């Protein structure tokens, strides 16, 4: 098993050896403490295909035929889907082995997996800290070497933020490039499935596999994209912008220092980096937390114990609904359903939801205007490093952690986290955002940085 942590998709293909057994052994060894998986597929076998023998994990809000899918919620505790999500089907057809389903905040609502109904995933760098969320299980599984890659979903940063906390690559594609068929919906206009990997190249390889038009998802675009196209390009002539407001939004000193170093690193490679005004940034969190809960209120109405989910039988229909939802949905899910129902109500729709949609348009317009002058926008991925489990009690503090990641979801553009050093011995991540459908260039630029990254970023050995 030595060296499995450093194993990548590319390396496994070179060696021509299956690592399915190694992955299962590593999970059995580490996951009792790490708690990255809700369900492990101990009967996993190699499948025929180009990527035969490559073990991959899937976030537990993406359905898998015959393999339990819970969304980390009590209401779906025993749900075994009768079909595969489109991305899972594509992975299997390419030879990937689904090794298990990873932990998340319930229905993907949270930033630390502390809202999972089953367990809290631990950060591989410090087991007293969170792995991030909501795709914390996927990020921890990759960072610890339990798997070489994983899929997550990203609604407001749920791939990129845990990737930053765990020191791995996390990529959110342009909205519509990856089918959401089989992804249990959180906020349909914001959700996107993407890869969490150890290298940028692996992320690009996975994108080539899982992307593409899907007749089962009307929001997918019929557009052929080659995600590995720019991996060997020279990006020294690009123009990059960062919002001056980055330093106004509760950023930790250590993260601010790494970001300044990141800017200097880019300038040292001859890249033009400008500080720009982005006053709309401060409205992104409020906008998101009106739009996303509104869509949650609609999407989760089906989990009522009648149509889907565990039922608590009571005398009347209303009482059955109330008991089924109250007993089987967690506090954060209930909070967001209530907020969304309120903002969609007739009396408040114009004041909240419609206004939020207008502000979303303003934020998108601002981002598009910046891309008229610049190739990429950079920020820290998270204003803080991984926090201690149980340390944060106030939901508003949780929500503000998404300040840098939310704009990419509101605008539907591609964004990636890349590791760039440490603060207090914890990983720090930098975010690169690109124009809509410029996913190959975002990956290419990230790979260009990764190759010359001055910070050595080994995966930490587990504590004895």
């Amino acid at each position: 098993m030595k060296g499995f942590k450093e194993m990548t998709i590319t390396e496994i293909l070179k060696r021509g050896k299956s690592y399915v057994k190694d992955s299962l052994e590593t999970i059995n060894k580490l996951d009792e403490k790490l708690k990255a998986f809700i369900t492990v597929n101990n009967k996993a076998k190699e499948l025929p295909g180009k990527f035969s023998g490559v073990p991959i994990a899937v976030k537990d809000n993406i359905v898998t035929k015959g393999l339990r899918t819970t969304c980390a919620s009590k209401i779906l505790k025993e749900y075994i889907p009768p079909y595969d999500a489109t991305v899972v089907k594509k992975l299997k057809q390419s030879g990937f082995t689904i090794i298990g389903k990873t932990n998340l905040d319930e229905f993907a609502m949270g930033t630390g997996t502390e809202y999972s109904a089953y367990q809290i995933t631990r950060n591989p760098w410090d087991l007293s800290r969170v792995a991030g969320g909501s795709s914390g299980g996927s990020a921890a599984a990759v960072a610890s070497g339990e798997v070489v890659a994983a899929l997550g979903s990203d609604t407001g940063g749920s791939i990129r933020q845990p990737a930053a906390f765990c020191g791995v690559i996390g990529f959110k594609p342009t909205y519509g490039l990856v089918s959401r068929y089989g992804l249990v919906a959180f906020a349909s206009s914001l959700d996107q499935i993407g890869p969490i990997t150890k290298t940028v190249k692996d992320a690009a390889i996975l994108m080539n596999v899982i992307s593409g038009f899907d007749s089962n998802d009307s929001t997918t675009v019929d557009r052929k994209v080659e995600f590995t196209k720019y991996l060997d390009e020279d990006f020294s002539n690009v123009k990059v912008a960062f919002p001056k407001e980055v330093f106004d939004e509760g950023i930790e000193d250590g993260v601010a220092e790494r970001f300044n170093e990141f800017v200097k690193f880019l300038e040292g490679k001859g890249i033009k980096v400008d500080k720009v005004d982005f006053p709309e940034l401060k409205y992104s969190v409020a906008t998101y937390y009106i739009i996303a809960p509104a869509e949650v209120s609609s999407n989760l109405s089906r989990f009522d114990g009648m149509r889907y989910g565990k039922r608590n039988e009571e005398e009347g229909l209303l009482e059955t609904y109330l008991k089924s939802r109250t007993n089987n949905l967690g506090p954060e899910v209930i909070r967001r359903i209530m907020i969304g129902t309120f903002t969609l109500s007739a009396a408040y729709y114009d004041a909240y939801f419609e206004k939020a949609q207008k502000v979303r348009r303003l934020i998108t317009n601002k981002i598009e205007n910046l891309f008229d002058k610049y190739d990429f926008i950079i920020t820290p991925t998270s204003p803080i490093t991984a926090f201690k489990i149980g340390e944060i009690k106030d939901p508003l503090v949780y929500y503000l952690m998404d300040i840098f990641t939310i704009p990419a979801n509101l605008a539907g553009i591609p964004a990636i986290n890349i590791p760039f050093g440490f603060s207090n011995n914890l990983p720090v991540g930098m975010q690169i955002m690109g124009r809509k459908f410029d996913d190959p260039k975002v990956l290419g630029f990230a790979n260009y940085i990764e190759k010359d990254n001055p910070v050595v970023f080994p995966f930490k050995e587990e504590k004895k």
Side-chain angles (χ1 to χ4, degrees):
M1 286 207 293
K2 189 178 179 183
F4 184 61
K5 282 196 185 120
E6 289 70 44
M7 202 59 58
T8 63
I9 294 172
T10 309
E11 188 63 29
I12 289 176
L13 293 181
K14 278 182 188 174
R15 296 191 181 194
K17 173 187 179 298
S18 171
Y19 278 82
V20 172
K21 185 179 177 183
D22 298 72
S23 180
L24 288 170
E25 287 177 359
T26 306
I27 292 168
N28 290 331
K29 179 183 175 184
L30 299 181
D31 213 60
E32 185 179 348
K33 290 184 177 179
L34 198 62
K35 300 188 183 303
F37 285 86
I38 291 178
T39 303
V40 178
N41 183 14
N42 285 306
K43 296 180 180 178
K45 296 178 181 178
E46 296 80 18
L47 298 173
K50 179 180 178 181
F51 298 97
S52 180
V54 179
I56 190 168
V58 175
K59 188 176 179 179
D60 203 28
N61 61 343
I62 301 171
V63 301
T64 42
K65 184 177 181 179
L67 192 61
R68 192 169 65 130
T69 300
T70 70
C71 293
S73 179
K74 290 179 183 176
I75 206 162
L76 290 175
K77 186 176 181 180
E78 303 303 332
Y79 177 57
I80 298 177
Y83 71 102
D84 279 326
T86 297
V87 290
V88 173
K89 194 174 181 181
K90 288 185 172 186
L91 287 173
K92 288 181 176 179
Q93 288 172 344
S94 297
F96 285 95
T97 295
I98 310 300
I99 216 78
K101 307 298 291 295
T102 53
N103 194 30
L104 63 149
D105 292 283
E106 185 178 6
F107 283 104
M109 298 178 204
T111 54
T113 73
E114 291 183 297
Y115 290 128
S116 169
Y118 304 112
Q119 61 200 25
I120 299 172
T121 298
R122 311 269 165 167
N123 193 306
W125 297 87
D126 182 343
L127 295 177
S128 70
R129 296 178 183 269
V130 300
S134 62
S135 306
S138 290
V142 174
S144 65
E146 291 183 323
V147 290
V148 295
L151 292 189
S153 65
D154 193 310
T155 308
S158 286
I159 287 173
R160 290 159 287 155
Q161 185 254 27
F165 278 12
C166 292
V168 290
I169 302 295
F171 180 62
K172 184 205 87 71
T174 295
Y175 183 82
L177 285 184
V178 178
S179 173
R180 292 181 296 110
Y181 180 70
L183 171 68
V184 179
F186 168 3
S188 302
S189 73
L190 301 163
D191 296 341
Q192 190 65 102
I193 295 170
I196 295 176
T197 58
K198 296 174 185 175
T199 66
V200 175
K201 185 175 182 180
D202 276 7
I205 288 170
L206 269 177
M207 283 302 302
N208 278 342
V209 173
I210 65 172
S211 65
F213 175 74
D214 181 11
S215 59
N216 290 317
D217 177 3
S218 61
T219 63
T220 53
V221 293
D222 192 1
R223 189 181 185 118
K224 178 65 178 172
V225 180
E226 179 54 56
F227 293 89
T228 53
K229 183 177 180 181
Y230 295 102
L231 291 185
D232 296 319
E233 291 291 314
D234 180 354
F235 282 84
S236 58
N237 292 321
V238 298
K239 292 182 179 180
V240 175
F242 72 89
K244 70 176 187 181
E245 291 80 7
V246 157
F247 298 103
D248 300 337
E249 301 300 334
I251 190 169
E252 282 181 358
D253 290 344
V255 175
E257 288 172 13
R258 295 297 84 73
F259 184 67
N260 281 325
E261 289 170 7
F262 184 55
V263 170
K264 289 176 183 174
F265 165 70
L266 295 178
E267 290 174 336
K269 296 177 74 64
I271 294 168
K272 181 176 173 56
V273 184
D274 288 341
K275 186 189 295 186
V276 297
D277 290 322
F278 193 166
E280 296 86 352
L281 180 66
K282 65 184 177 183
Y283 300 114
S284 60
V285 172
T287 301
Y288 174 88
Y289 280 101
I290 292 173
I291 293 172
E295 296 186 20
V296 165
S297 174
S298 175
N299 281 327
L300 266 64
S301 63
R302 73 196 74 174
F303 300 105
D304 55 12
M306 295 292 181
R307 288 167 289 181
Y308 292 94
K310 185 179 179 182
R311 182 186 308 178
N312 288 91
E313 292 284 1
E314 296 294 325
E315 285 189 18
L317 180 62
L318 179 60
E319 289 77 12
T320 300
Y321 279 145
L322 289 172
K323 277 287 184 183
S324 297
R325 288 168 75 80
T326 303
N327 289 356
N328 297 301
L329 293 176
E332 183 61 22
V333 172
I334 290 173
R335 182 184 293 119
R336 297 199 195 191
I337 289 172
M338 296 294 287
I339 292 170
T341 304
F342 174 81
T343 57
L344 287 176
S345 62
Y348 297 101
Y349 182 90
D350 291 346
Y352 291 101
F353 187 74
E354 188 174 1
K355 188 172 286 185
Q357 291 285 29
K358 290 177 180 177
V359 177
R360 180 181 187 175
R361 184 68 257 171
L362 288 174
I363 292 168
T364 302
N365 288 345
K366 176 65 176 184
I367 289 171
E368 289 175 350
N369 289 338
L370 286 173
F371 283 134
D372 287 339
K373 299 177 182 177
Y374 299 96
D375 299 289
F376 305 104
I377 301 170
I378 58 170
T379 68
T381 303
S382 168
I384 67 171
T385 52
F387 53 92
K388 288 200 169 184
I389 292 168
E391 180 180 18
I392 296 174
K393 307 294 184 186
D394 185 349
L396 290 177
V397 176
Y398 254 123
Y399 298 166
L400 288 169
M401 290 181 206
D402 301 331
I403 181 74
F404 300 136
T405 52
I406 282 173
N409 297 86
L410 293 175
I413 60 173
I416 192 168
N417 171 75
I418 55 172
F420 196 85
F422 298 84
S423 174
N424 298 320
N425 296 316
L426 295 166
V428 175
M430 299 299 152
Q431 177 179 232
I432 301 166
M433 295 180 278
R435 297 181 187 89
K436 194 175 285 189
F437 301 117
D438 262 5
D439 300 54
K441 289 183 179 178
V442 171
L443 288 161
F445 185 48
N447 190 60
Y448 177 71
I449 293 167
E450 182 181 79
K451 284 189 292 188
D452 291 330
N453 192 330
V455 184
V456 178
F457 221 99
F459 291 100
K460 194 172 184 179
E461 289 292 329
E462 64 268 23
K463 293 177 182 177
K464 301 297 182 186

